[in-house]
Amino acid sequence: MLVDADLHIHSHYSRAVSKAMTIPNLAKNARFKGLGLVGTGDILNPKWEEELLKYAEKVNEGTYERDGIRFLLTTEAEDDRRVHHVLIFPSIETVHEMRERLKPYSKNIETEGRPHVNLSAAGIADLANELDVLIGPAHAFTPWTSLYKEYNSLKEAYGDAKIHFLELGLSADSEMADRIRAHHGITYLSNSDAHSPMPHRLGREFNRFEIEETTFEEIRRAILKRGGRRIVLNAGLDPRLGKYHLTACSRCYTKYSLEEARAYHWKCPKCGGRIKKGVHDRIMELADTEKGPKDRPPYIRLAPLAEIIAMVIGKGVETKSVRVIWERFLREFGSEIRVLVDVPVEALAEVHDEVAKAVWAYREGKLIVIPGGGGKYGEIKLPEEIRKASIEELESIEVSVPDGERPKQRSITDFLGVET
C-alpha cells in the first residue's frame, strides 16, 4: 500500500505556532490534503501528549488514530548549538523515558513544544540510538537552526552516532542534497514543519511510503530500506519558493551573490540588516559530486494549490474566496496531488479555467518563480501570454521564463508505474 506522510509538524505548545494546531484539526485537514499519516510533533511536551491520548485512539505501539488519520510519535529538539533534530519514537513508554533522560539538560522540556537540550548533536543521537528512536537533522540546510549552519559534515556533527534520515527542508530538494556524496546512503524525508493546519502549510511537503500497514514499525523499515518497504517519492515545494533558498538580507530581502555578501561582511549596505546565506549557496560550498545514487526516489516539485489559486484570483491565500475554489477542486478530483500533477488540464478547466492554465504552466515549467531568500518565501506569477490564452492555445504558446525553465514534470503515475 502507498501512504502519504508528513512527519514533522508542531503543536500549539511551540512558539510562533497557530492555536488551531490541535489533534482534531490536524486530522480534519490531513483528510482534505490527502495525507494518511501525520507526525504528532512536540510529543515530549506532556500536555501535548495528554491531548493526543484524549483525542486519538491507540492502534498499536507508537501508532494512534483519529478520524481515519494515523499519527506517529514525533518531536523536534534543539541541541546546545541551536541545531534542530527530528525524532520518531517507537512507543509512548520510550517518549517517557526520553523525557526523563533529557530533563537534567533542559529547562523547558515540560513547557515548550520544541525543547532546548543542553547536549551536543552527538549526545542526543547517542541517547536516541540507545532507546531505538529514529533521529536525523531537521531542515538540514536552513541558515538559522540547521546542521549545515553549524557544521560542514554529518560526521562532524554526530560523530560515530547513527542517524537514520536527513530532512531536506523547504529550500532544498533531493537533487540539491545529493551534490554532497556523504548523503548518498541516507534516506531523505520531505516534511512540512507546519505551524498551521491550513492546507497550504500542512502537507506542503510529504513522503510517499510503500508499506504493508500504517504503523511505526513499517515506517521504520521503509526509512531503513528493509523488507521491501521504502519511500517511493519525495514531494515538496519548488526549492526556489523556500524562504531561505537564495542569499539575502533578513530585513529588506535584497538578494546577494555569495561573493557580494562576503565583501559586505554579511551586513546589508541598503538597510544595515543581516545577510543570511542561502541554501543553494551553502550546498554549492559543500558540493563534491554532480550525480546522486541510482536508487534515490524521485522528488516532484509542487506548489500548494491554495497558493496557485490565490495568485490567479488576486486574493490572500487564507481568504474565503480561495477556500471555495480549493474545495471545488477537491470535491471533483479527490486530492491536491491529482489536481496539481495528474488530472488533464481540460478537466481542470471545467472547474476553473484560469486556475487550470496556471496548473498547466507549473507542470510545463512556464510559471514564473521569483526565488525566496532572507526569510521571505518565493513567489509565483503567471505569464500574461498564458493568462490571455485559451486552453486550446496553451501548447502553442512560447514563453520565456526569466529564472530559467525547468524540465516538464511527469505525473506521479509516470514516476511510480502504479495507480495513486
Side-chain angles (χ1 to χ4, degrees):
M1 63 184 293
L2 299 177
V3 177
D4 293 335
D6 182 357
L7 299 180
H8 179 186
I9 66 163
H10 288 286
S11 74
H12 59 93
Y13 291 102
S14 283
R15 286 169 291 176
V17 172
S18 168
K19 297 298 182 184
M21 286 294 269
T22 65
I23 296 298
N25 281 343
L26 286 166
K28 175 182 176 181
N29 284 285
R31 288 202 314 276
F32 290 153
K33 194 76 178 187
L35 297 172
L37 179 65
V38 179
T40 61
D42 297 359
I43 197 60
L44 287 174
N45 182 289
K47 292 183 179 179
W48 184 235
E49 178 193 334
E50 288 179 12
E51 290 193 29
L52 173 70
L53 299 181
K54 177 180 179 180
Y55 292 110
E57 181 180 351
K58 182 177 179 180
V59 177
N60 53 38
E61 291 301 317
T63 314
Y64 295 76
E65 185 171 304
R66 165 83 183 200
D67 296 337
I69 304 300
R70 293 286 177 94
F71 288 88
L72 288 189
L73 305 170
T74 67
T75 198
E76 182 182 29
E78 181 180 271
D79 69 23
D80 61 357
R81 295 176 66 169
R82 297 201 64 208
V83 172
H84 289 190
H85 311 269
V86 174
L87 295 92
I88 308 174
F89 297 87
S91 68
I92 203 69
E93 290 74 23
T94 309
V95 171
H96 296 163
E97 186 168 359
M98 176 72 83
R99 187 186 297 145
E100 291 302 313
R101 299 280 289 272
L102 292 180
K103 274 184 182 179
Y105 307 98
S106 178
K107 295 181 179 180
N108 64 353
I109 197 168
E110 294 192 326
T111 56
E112 170 63 26
R114 184 197 303 105
H116 176 82
V117 179
N118 193 28
L119 285 174
S120 66
I124 295 175
D126 281 334
L127 180 56
N129 292 172
E130 181 182 339
L131 299 178
D132 291 327
V133 174
L134 301 176
I135 185 171
H139 39 73
F141 307 101
T142 55
W144 290 105
T145 54
S146 75
L147 182 138
Y148 285 111
K149 180 266 299 185
E150 282 292 312
Y151 301 98
N152 290 317
S153 69
L154 296 170
K155 178 71 173 178
E156 184 183 349
Y158 292 106
D160 294 328
K162 181 177 178 59
I163 64 166
H164 307 94
F165 55 83
L166 179 146
E167 185 181 73
L168 295 168
L170 304 183
S171 296
D173 60 14
S174 300
E175 183 180 350
M176 293 170 65
D178 274 335
R179 293 299 302 273
I180 300 172
R181 195 184 306 274
H183 295 165
H184 287 188
I186 297 174
T187 294
Y188 291 155
L189 293 184
S190 44
N191 301 315
S192 71
D193 194 6
H195 290 203
S196 163
M198 297 300 290
H200 62 288
R201 295 289 185 246
L202 180 66
R204 60 186 165 179
E205 301 216 345
F206 66 89
N207 315 273
R208 177 160 287 175
F209 287 90
E210 186 174 51
I211 51 181
E212 293 296 321
E213 55 181 332
T214 311
T215 65
F216 167 82
E217 180 57 28
E218 286 289 293
I219 294 298
R220 184 185 71 84
R221 291 180 183 178
I223 290 174
L224 300 181
K225 305 174 186 177
R226 295 177 180 172
R229 282 65 163 179
R230 58 185 182 137
I231 293 176
V232 296
L233 178 75
N234 293 105
L237 291 185
D238 183 316
R240 294 173 296 173
L241 295 177
K243 59 183 179 179
Y244 297 112
H245 183 66
L246 294 183
T247 297
C249 174
S250 57
R251 183 184 297 172
C252 71
Y253 308 119
T254 299
K255 298 180 178 71
Y256 296 97
S257 69
L258 199 54
E259 293 73 20
E260 290 171 333
R262 288 170 177 156
Y264 294 133
H265 302 286
W266 302 96
K267 184 176 181 179
C268 178
K270 293 188 176 182
C271 73
R274 186 179 181 185
I275 299 173
K276 296 301 295 181
K277 186 183 295 183
V279 169
H280 179 270
D281 284 332
R282 181 57 174 147
I283 289 177
M284 294 313 296
E285 283 184 324
L286 300 169
D288 57 2
T289 185
E290 294 185 358
K291 294 183 178 180
K294 293 182 179 180
D295 64 347
R296 177 72 67 204
Y299 185 103
I300 188 166
R301 296 175 171 188
L302 303 174
L305 178 59
E307 292 187 3
I308 293 178
I309 296 169
M311 172 197 66
V312 167
I313 69 174
K315 299 288 187 179
V317 72
E318 295 189 16
T319 60
K320 182 177 180 181
S321 300
V322 170
R323 182 80 179 192
V324 167
I325 297 172
W326 179 84
E327 289 178 348
R328 285 170 58 194
F329 274 107
L330 263 67
R331 281 198 302 270
E332 186 69 26
F333 303 113
S335 77
E336 274 203 21
I337 301 303
R338 284 185 52 76
V339 172
L340 292 171
V341 182
D342 289 316
V343 177
V345 67
E346 294 81 8
L348 298 179
E350 293 179 8
V351 175
H352 197 289
D353 185 78
E354 293 294 310
V355 173
K357 288 188 284 188
V359 171
W360 177 87
Y362 200 94
R363 292 178 183 177
E364 300 291 324
K366 295 181 178 179
L367 194 67
I368 297 170
V369 177
I370 302 172
K376 182 181 180 181
Y377 286 107
E379 301 175 43
I380 50 178
K381 291 187 176 181
L382 186 63
E384 280 302 310
E385 303 97 313
I386 294 176
R387 190 181 292 273
K388 294 176 181 178
S390 67
I391 294 294
E392 293 75 21
E393 295 171 332
L394 290 178
E395 293 293 343
S396 62
I397 291 178
E398 294 292 333
V399 178
S400 176
V401 179
D403 292 310
E405 292 191 12
R406 57 181 174 80
K408 175 181 177 181
Q409 297 201 88
R410 294 174 291 162
S411 71
I412 289 181
T413 303
D414 289 334
F415 279 133
L416 304 182
V418 295
E419 292 297 324
T420 59

